[in-house]
Tab-separated table of all heavy atoms in Angstrom:
chain	number	residue	atom	x	y	z
B	1	PRO	N	-29.692	11.153	13.405
B	1	PRO	CA	-29.639	11.604	14.804
B	1	PRO	C	-28.292	11.325	15.468
B	1	PRO	O	-27.831	12.121	16.282
B	1	PRO	CB	-30.766	10.828	15.479
B	1	PRO	CG	-30.974	9.628	14.631
B	1	PRO	CD	-30.688	10.066	13.231
B	2	LEU	N	-27.664	10.197	15.116
B	2	LEU	CA	-26.364	9.890	15.720
B	2	LEU	C	-25.306	10.897	15.282
B	2	LEU	O	-24.465	11.322	16.080
B	2	LEU	CB	-25.936	8.472	15.344
B	2	LEU	CG	-26.751	7.334	15.967
B	2	LEU	CD1	-26.283	5.989	15.433
B	2	LEU	CD2	-26.639	7.375	17.491
B	3	GLY	N	-25.347	11.272	13.996
B	3	GLY	CA	-24.404	12.275	13.514
B	3	GLY	C	-24.633	13.626	14.156
B	3	GLY	O	-23.687	14.329	14.525
B	4	GLY	N	-25.906	14.003	14.309
B	4	GLY	CA	-26.209	15.269	14.968
B	4	GLY	C	-25.772	15.278	16.419
B	4	GLY	O	-25.246	16.282	16.914
B	5	LEU	N	-25.969	14.159	17.105
B	5	LEU	CA	-25.555	14.056	18.503
B	5	LEU	C	-24.034	14.165	18.638
B	5	LEU	O	-23.523	14.922	19.474
B	5	LEU	CB	-26.038	12.737	19.084
B	5	LEU	CG	-25.641	12.440	20.536
B	5	LEU	CD1	-26.250	13.470	21.473
B	5	LEU	CD2	-26.088	11.025	20.926
B	6	ALA	N	-23.303	13.423	17.792
B	6	ALA	CA	-21.841	13.441	17.866
B	6	ALA	C	-21.289	14.813	17.511
B	6	ALA	O	-20.392	15.339	18.186
B	6	ALA	CB	-21.268	12.379	16.930
B	7	LEU	N	-21.830	15.414	16.446
B	7	LEU	CA	-21.336	16.724	16.029
B	7	LEU	C	-21.660	17.789	17.067
B	7	LEU	O	-20.848	18.687	17.329
B	7	LEU	CB	-21.943	17.096	14.677
B	7	LEU	CG	-21.296	18.288	13.951
B	7	LEU	CD1	-19.828	18.005	13.660
B	7	LEU	CD2	-22.030	18.591	12.652
B	8	GLY	N	-22.845	17.695	17.667
B	8	GLY	CA	-23.204	18.653	18.709
B	8	GLY	C	-22.260	18.604	19.895
B	8	GLY	O	-21.899	19.638	20.457
B	9	LYS	N	-21.843	17.390	20.276
B	9	LYS	CA	-20.884	17.252	21.371
B	9	LYS	C	-19.523	17.804	20.987
B	9	LYS	O	-18.845	18.460	21.790
B	9	LYS	CB	-20.767	15.777	21.773
B	9	LYS	CG	-22.022	15.178	22.382
B	9	LYS	CD	-22.332	15.790	23.731
B	9	LYS	CE	-23.528	15.104	24.380
B	9	LYS	NZ	-23.863	15.720	25.702
B	10	LEU	N	-19.103	17.530	19.741
B	10	LEU	CA	-17.783	17.991	19.289
B	10	LEU	C	-17.720	19.508	19.161
B	10	LEU	O	-16.679	20.109	19.410
B	10	LEU	CB	-17.437	17.335	17.948
B	10	LEU	CG	-17.035	15.864	17.999
B	10	LEU	CD1	-16.858	15.310	16.598
B	10	LEU	CD2	-15.749	15.700	18.804
B	11	ILE	N	-18.845	20.110	18.763
B	11	ILE	CA	-18.858	21.573	18.614
B	11	ILE	C	-18.543	22.254	19.938
B	11	ILE	O	-17.828	23.254	19.986
B	11	ILE	CB	-20.228	22.035	18.075
B	11	ILE	CG1	-20.349	21.663	16.591
B	11	ILE	CG2	-20.409	23.540	18.252
B	11	ILE	CD1	-21.721	21.924	16.013
B	12	LEU	N	-19.056	21.695	21.024
B	12	LEU	CA	-18.792	22.274	22.345
B	12	LEU	C	-17.317	22.173	22.731
B	12	LEU	O	-16.817	22.967	23.528
B	12	LEU	CB	-19.652	21.568	23.399
B	12	LEU	CG	-21.170	21.695	23.236
B	12	LEU	CD1	-21.875	20.855	24.286
B	12	LEU	CD2	-21.594	23.152	23.327
B	13	ILE	N	-16.617	21.182	22.150
B	13	ILE	CA	-15.212	20.952	22.516
B	13	ILE	C	-14.251	21.667	21.577
B	13	ILE	O	-13.336	22.368	22.023
B	13	ILE	CB	-14.917	19.436	22.519
B	13	ILE	CG1	-15.825	18.729	23.524
B	13	ILE	CG2	-13.444	19.174	22.854
B	13	ILE	CD1	-15.746	17.214	23.453
B	14	VAL	N	-14.456	21.513	20.254
B	14	VAL	CA	-13.471	22.020	19.286
B	14	VAL	C	-13.995	23.175	18.444
B	14	VAL	O	-13.229	23.780	17.693
B	14	VAL	CB	-12.992	20.885	18.363
B	14	VAL	CG1	-12.347	19.775	19.161
B	14	VAL	CG2	-14.145	20.322	17.535
B	15	GLY	N	-15.286	23.478	18.526
B	15	GLY	CA	-15.850	24.552	17.721
B	15	GLY	C	-16.503	24.032	16.458
B	15	GLY	O	-16.224	22.925	15.996
B	16	ILE	N	-17.370	24.859	15.860
B	16	ILE	CA	-18.152	24.453	14.705
B	16	ILE	C	-17.285	24.198	13.482
B	16	ILE	O	-17.496	23.248	12.729
B	16	ILE	CB	-19.237	25.510	14.392
B	16	ILE	CG1	-20.096	25.075	13.192
B	16	ILE	CG2	-18.613	26.879	14.156
B	16	ILE	CD1	-20.934	23.875	13.421
B	17	THR	N	-16.253	25.020	13.265
B	17	THR	CA	-15.424	24.860	12.070
B	17	THR	C	-14.679	23.531	12.080
B	17	THR	O	-14.698	22.781	11.096
B	17	THR	CB	-14.422	26.013	11.955
B	17	THR	OG1	-15.140	27.258	11.832
B	17	THR	CG2	-13.523	25.834	10.742
B	18	ALA	N	-14.023	23.229	13.195
B	18	ALA	CA	-13.257	21.986	13.280
B	18	ALA	C	-14.166	20.764	13.259
B	18	ALA	O	-13.851	19.747	12.616
B	18	ALA	CB	-12.405	21.984	14.548
B	19	ALA	N	-15.298	20.833	13.948
B	19	ALA	CA	-16.205	19.684	14.011
B	19	ALA	C	-16.822	19.388	12.644
B	19	ALA	O	-16.820	18.240	12.180
B	19	ALA	CB	-17.303	19.938	15.034
B	20	LEU	N	-17.323	20.426	11.976
B	20	LEU	CA	-17.951	20.239	10.667
B	20	LEU	C	-16.916	19.873	9.613
B	20	LEU	O	-17.144	18.985	8.780
B	20	LEU	CB	-18.710	21.504	10.272
B	20	LEU	CG	-19.664	21.398	9.086
B	20	LEU	CD1	-20.743	20.364	9.361
B	20	LEU	CD2	-20.302	22.753	8.791
B	21	GLY	N	-15.765	20.538	9.652
B	21	GLY	CA	-14.701	20.205	8.719
B	21	GLY	C	-14.192	18.790	8.914
B	21	GLY	O	-13.898	18.077	7.955
B	22	GLY	N	-14.099	18.356	10.166
B	22	GLY	CA	-13.659	16.997	10.462
B	22	GLY	C	-14.611	15.947	9.919
B	22	GLY	O	-14.182	14.899	9.422
B	23	SER	N	-15.915	16.213	10.003
B	23	SER	CA	-16.887	15.250	9.472
B	23	SER	C	-16.766	15.143	7.958
B	23	SER	O	-16.877	14.041	7.393
B	23	SER	CB	-18.308	15.651	9.874
B	23	SER	OG	-18.687	16.877	9.262
B	24	GLY	N	-16.520	16.281	7.292
B	24	GLY	CA	-16.326	16.243	5.846
B	24	GLY	C	-15.070	15.486	5.460
B	24	GLY	O	-15.079	14.683	4.521
B	25	ILE	N	-13.985	15.720	6.184
B	25	ILE	CA	-12.733	15.023	5.900
B	25	ILE	C	-12.860	13.531	6.163
B	25	ILE	O	-12.336	12.701	5.408
B	25	ILE	CB	-11.591	15.633	6.748
B	25	ILE	CG1	-11.307	17.066	6.274
B	25	ILE	CG2	-10.329	14.782	6.665
B	25	ILE	CD1	-10.356	17.827	7.162
B	26	LEU	N	-13.571	13.178	7.226
B	26	LEU	CA	-13.772	11.762	7.523
B	26	LEU	C	-14.598	11.076	6.436
B	26	LEU	O	-14.313	9.929	6.054
B	26	LEU	CB	-14.451	11.615	8.882
B	26	LEU	CG	-14.551	10.187	9.448
B	26	LEU	CD1	-13.173	9.534	9.531
B	26	LEU	CD2	-15.210	10.217	10.820
B	27	LEU	N	-15.599	11.779	5.914
B	27	LEU	CA	-16.389	11.216	4.819
B	27	LEU	C	-15.532	11.040	3.572
B	27	LEU	O	-15.656	10.040	2.859
B	27	LEU	CB	-17.587	12.116	4.522
B	27	LEU	CG	-18.543	11.641	3.425
B	27	LEU	CD1	-19.115	10.259	3.759
B	27	LEU	CD2	-19.673	12.650	3.223
B	28	ILE	N	-14.653	11.993	3.310
B	28	ILE	CA	-13.720	11.868	2.192
B	28	ILE	C	-12.831	10.645	2.381
B	28	ILE	O	-12.600	9.864	1.442
B	28	ILE	CB	-12.854	13.140	2.062
B	28	ILE	CG1	-13.718	14.329	1.617
B	28	ILE	CG2	-11.710	12.920	1.064
B	28	ILE	CD1	-12.976	15.658	1.645
B	29	ALA	N	-12.329	10.446	3.595
B	29	ALA	CA	-11.445	9.315	3.874
B	29	ALA	C	-12.158	7.984	3.653
B	29	ALA	O	-11.600	7.061	3.040
B	29	ALA	CB	-10.926	9.412	5.306
B	30	VAL	N	-13.398	7.877	4.148
B	30	VAL	CA	-14.162	6.640	3.965
B	30	VAL	C	-14.377	6.363	2.481
B	30	VAL	O	-14.212	5.227	2.003
B	30	VAL	CB	-15.513	6.726	4.701
B	30	VAL	CG1	-16.413	5.552	4.324
B	30	VAL	CG2	-15.301	6.769	6.205
B	31	THR	N	-14.727	7.409	1.728
B	31	THR	CA	-14.969	7.240	0.300
B	31	THR	C	-13.705	6.854	-0.442
B	31	THR	O	-13.731	5.990	-1.332
B	31	THR	CB	-15.546	8.536	-0.285
B	31	THR	OG1	-16.684	8.949	0.469
B	31	THR	CG2	-15.973	8.329	-1.730
B	32	LEU	N	-12.585	7.477	-0.085
B	32	LEU	CA	-11.321	7.172	-0.760
B	32	LEU	C	-10.887	5.730	-0.523
B	32	LEU	O	-10.254	5.119	-1.395
B	32	LEU	CB	-10.231	8.136	-0.295
B	32	LEU	CG	-10.312	9.559	-0.859
B	32	LEU	CD1	-9.227	10.432	-0.258
B	32	LEU	CD2	-10.208	9.551	-2.383
B	33	ILE	N	-11.195	5.202	0.647
B	33	ILE	CA	-10.870	3.794	0.916
B	33	ILE	C	-11.554	2.897	-0.114
B	33	ILE	O	-10.941	1.988	-0.682
B	33	ILE	CB	-11.279	3.403	2.345
B	33	ILE	CG1	-10.377	4.107	3.359
B	33	ILE	CG2	-11.210	1.883	2.531
B	33	ILE	CD1	-10.813	3.923	4.797
B	34	PHE	N	-12.836	3.175	-0.384
B	34	PHE	CA	-13.554	2.382	-1.376
B	34	PHE	C	-13.043	2.648	-2.790
B	34	PHE	O	-12.943	1.730	-3.605
B	34	PHE	CB	-15.050	2.688	-1.303
B	34	PHE	CG	-15.761	1.979	-0.196
B	34	PHE	CD1	-15.839	2.530	1.069
B	34	PHE	CD2	-16.356	0.751	-0.405
B	34	PHE	CE1	-16.499	1.880	2.098
B	34	PHE	CE2	-17.023	0.081	0.614
B	34	PHE	CZ	-17.086	0.654	1.870
B	35	LEU	N	-12.731	3.912	-3.085
B	35	LEU	CA	-12.286	4.253	-4.428
B	35	LEU	C	-10.899	3.701	-4.735
B	35	LEU	O	-10.646	3.189	-5.829
B	35	LEU	CB	-12.274	5.770	-4.608
B	35	LEU	CG	-13.620	6.435	-4.893
B	35	LEU	CD1	-13.487	7.938	-4.857
B	35	LEU	CD2	-14.156	5.989	-6.255
B	36	ILE	N	-9.983	3.806	-3.770
B	36	ILE	CA	-8.606	3.371	-4.013
B	36	ILE	C	-8.501	1.856	-4.026
B	36	ILE	O	-7.895	1.256	-4.912
B	36	ILE	CB	-7.662	3.981	-2.959
B	36	ILE	CG1	-7.610	5.512	-3.135
B	36	ILE	CG2	-6.256	3.392	-3.082
B	36	ILE	CD1	-6.857	6.223	-2.048
B	37	VAL	N	-9.099	1.228	-3.034
B	37	VAL	CA	-9.055	-0.227	-2.982
B	37	VAL	C	-9.878	-0.825	-4.120
B	37	VAL	O	-9.513	-1.859	-4.683
B	37	VAL	CB	-9.564	-0.727	-1.610
B	37	VAL	CG1	-9.627	-2.247	-1.564
B	37	VAL	CG2	-8.657	-0.195	-0.503
B	38	MET	N	-11.015	-0.137	-4.431
B	38	MET	CA	-11.899	-0.513	-5.542
B	38	MET	C	-12.706	-1.794	-5.294
B	38	MET	O	-13.546	-2.163	-6.098
B	38	MET	CB	-11.115	-0.678	-6.851
B	38	MET	CG	-10.521	0.607	-7.390
B	38	MET	SD	-11.773	1.860	-7.731
B	38	MET	CE	-12.581	1.125	-9.154
B	39	ARG	N	-12.433	-2.501	-4.234
B	39	ARG	CA	-13.182	-3.733	-3.986
B	39	ARG	C	-14.655	-3.439	-3.753
B	39	ARG	O	-15.521	-4.161	-4.224
B	39	ARG	CB	-12.603	-4.467	-2.779
B	39	ARG	CG	-11.304	-5.184	-3.062
B	39	ARG	CD	-10.858	-5.977	-1.870
B	39	ARG	NE	-11.848	-6.970	-1.484
B	39	ARG	CZ	-11.776	-7.711	-0.385
B	39	ARG	NH1	-10.753	-7.558	0.447
B	39	ARG	NH2	-12.705	-8.599	-0.105
């Protein structure tokens, strides 16, 4: 629900493409932190 709420607010500001794409990129960034650091 928190993700849906945040994305719904962002869609009104930046549009569906930027909001959805941004969430995917942010998930990639979080994952890469774990993968690169490896800890």
Side-chain angles (χ1 to χ4, degrees):
L2 291 176
L5 178 63
L7 193 61
K9 294 293 184 181
L10 285 174
I11 287 173
L12 298 176
I13 300 172
V14 300
I16 181 66
T17 298
L20 192 60
S23 66
I25 293 171
L26 189 56
L27 182 58
I28 292 172
V30 170
T31 307
L32 285 177
I33 291 173
F34 280 88
L35 280 172
I36 294 173
V37 176
M38 293 300 290
R39 284 185 59 187

